[in-house]
Amino acid sequence: MTALPAPRTLTSPSAVAEVFDHGAHVVSWTPVGTAPVLWMSAASAFETGAPIRGGVPICFPWFGAGRSKDCAPAHGFARLQAWRFLGEERTPEAVRGTWELAGDGTSAGFAYPFRATYEVRAGASLDLRLTVTNTGTETFSYEEALHTYLAVGDVRQVVVDGLDGASYLDKAAGADAGPHRQQGPVTISAETDRVYASTGEVRLTDPVWERTLTVTKTGSATTVVWNPWVAKAAAMPDFGDDEWPGMICIEAANALDDAVVLAPGESHTLGYLLTVS
Ligand code: TA6
C-alpha cells in the first residue's frame, strides 16, 4: 500500500471541504463558524487499498458483506478505488466537485458494466449525490450507502428523531436481529447497529455541542444508525479505543430488500443533504 495523494479542497465563502479521489471520499466539511461536522478517526489509514475511517465512505455495490453475506471487501470496492475527478463548478455560496467511477463488467463480485458519478456540493449545507447507471445489456441490482460519520460532543447524550415507528434489523453483537419497531427517539447506550426501513428526515440533537444536524435523504429507502461502543471500537485497528463517544453514523442507504434494480440504460440517484443549526 502507498500513501494517498493529498485530498482536493473545495473552498467557498460558506465552508471548506476536503475530498480524496480515493473512494471519492469526503473526509471533512466545516461550514464557516462551526466546528467540523464530519468525524475522522485519528487512527485512520490514508493508503491505497485501505478504507478511510471517518467522513463519508461510499458503500457500493454491496453493503457490509452483501445480501449473500460472503461479499468482500466489506461495503464493496468503490471506497477502495481511485475515482476520476471531473472538475468543479462554483456558485456564490458553494462549490461542487464531481467524480466518476466506471466498471467494465469485470469488477470482482459485480460482473456488470456500470458508471457511477458522485457530486459533492459543499456550502452552508453538504449535498451529496451518488448516481449509478447501468451501461450494460443485463439488468443488475446493487446495494449502496453514504456511510456518514457525524462528529458529536458525547454520543451518550445525543437524541435522534425521525425514525419513530420505523421497522429495523438489529446487527449489534448478540442482539435479536428482529425485525423490531422503533419506539420514540433513538438514544445510544450500547453498541448500536440498526438498519431501518425509512425514507424520512433524521434530526440529531447534540446538547454538548449545542447543535442539531439534519439529514434529508432522496432515493434512499434505508437508514443505518451505528455506534461501535467500547468492545467493537477496541477491536478495530483504525479506530481509537477512546474515540467512540465522539461519533455516530447516520447513513443513507439502499440495502437488503431495498437493493436498487436497474435495467440497461437506467440510472438511480441516492441523495444525502446535511445541514447544521
Ligand atoms: O454501517 C454500519 C456497519 O455495517 C457496521 O456493521 C460496521 O461494520 C460499520 O458498518 C463499519 O464497517 P467497516 O467495513 O467500515 O469497518
Side-chain angles (χ1 to χ4, degrees), residues 170-203:
D170 193 332
K171 291 172 50 188
D176 167 11
H180 307 279
R181 192 162 297 279
Q182 182 60 39
Q183 306 290 331
V186 179
T187 55
I188 309 293
S189 57
E191 178 191 347
T192 303
D193 191 350
R194 299 178 183 176
V195 181
Y196 287 89
S198 174
T199 59
E201 179 177 277
V202 174
R203 291 174 314 287

Side-chain angles (χ1 to χ4, degrees), residues 44-126:
S44 178
F46 292 95
E47 298 173 330
T48 57
I52 296 170
R53 176 68 65 193
V56 185
I58 296 176
C59 304
F60 173 85
W62 54 80
F63 184 78
R67 287 160 284 172
S68 59
K69 299 191 187 329
D70 62 1
C71 297
H75 288 322
F77 50 72
R79 66 177 177 169
L80 301 176
Q81 295 192 0
W83 290 52
R84 187 160 68 96
F85 180 60
L86 300 183
E88 67 180 54
E89 295 167 64
R90 292 185 172 280
T91 63
E93 188 271 332
V95 57
R96 181 175 61 209
T98 304
W99 285 259
E100 174 189 61
L101 181 71
D104 61 2
T106 62
S107 305
F110 192 73
Y112 302 100
F114 72 90
R115 178 173 185 263
T117 58
Y118 189 48
E119 295 177 295
V120 177
R121 184 179 181 279
S125 60
L126 181 66

Side-chain angles (χ1 to χ4, degrees), residues 14-266:
S14 311
V16 177
E18 294 175 295
V19 189
F20 280 95
D21 290 350
H22 175 73
H25 198 126
V26 180
V27 290
S28 71
W29 171 59
T30 308
V32 168
T34 75
V37 180
L38 303 181
W39 179 87
M40 178 60 65
S41 172
S44 178
F46 292 95
E47 298 173 330
T48 57
I52 296 170
R53 176 68 65 193
V56 185
I58 296 176
C59 304
F60 173 85
W62 54 80
F63 184 78
R67 287 160 284 172
S68 59
K69 299 191 187 329
D70 62 1
C71 297
H75 288 322
F77 50 72
R79 66 177 177 169
L80 301 176
Q81 295 192 0
W83 290 52
R84 187 160 68 96
F85 180 60
L86 300 183
E88 67 180 54
E89 295 167 64
R90 292 185 172 280
T91 63
E93 188 271 332
V95 57
R96 181 175 61 209
T98 304
W99 285 259
E100 174 189 61
L101 181 71
D104 61 2
T106 62
S107 305
F110 192 73
Y112 302 100
F114 72 90
R115 178 173 185 263
T117 58
Y118 189 48
E119 295 177 295
V120 177
R121 184 179 181 279
S125 60
L126 181 66
D127 190 344
L128 308 174
R129 297 181 191 185
L130 175 65
T131 299
V132 177
T133 300
N134 182 341
T135 56
T137 58
E138 292 177 79
T139 294
F140 63 55
S141 72
Y142 64 91
E143 296 175 299
E144 60 184 349
L146 296 177
H147 190 301
T148 308
Y149 287 75
L150 300 173
V152 297
D154 182 347
V155 75
R156 292 160 292 197
Q157 299 186 50
V158 306
V159 176
V160 179
D161 291 296
L163 294 166
D164 183 26
S167 67
Y168 67 91
L169 298 178
D170 193 332
K171 291 172 50 188
D176 167 11
H180 307 279
R181 192 162 297 279
Q182 182 60 39
Q183 306 290 331
V186 179
T187 55
I188 309 293
S189 57
E191 178 191 347
T192 303
D193 191 350
R194 299 178 183 176
V195 181
Y196 287 89
S198 174
T199 59
E201 179 177 277
V202 174
R203 291 174 314 287
L204 182 148
T205 304
D206 179 345
V208 174
W209 284 358
E210 297 180 340
R211 67 184 185 186
T212 298
L213 304 183
T214 301
V215 176
T216 307
K217 311 189 305 172
T218 50
S220 167
T222 315
T223 299
V224 180
V225 178
W226 180 58
N227 180 277
W229 208 251
V230 180
K232 190 152 189 182
M236 294 184 282
D238 62 348
F239 199 119
D241 293 1
D242 58 355
E243 291 186 314
W244 59 269
M247 57 70 66
I248 185 171
C249 286
I250 305 286
E251 307 164 37
N254 288 298
L256 301 172
D257 293 345
D258 293 322
V260 178
V261 178
L262 290 182
E266 288 187 333

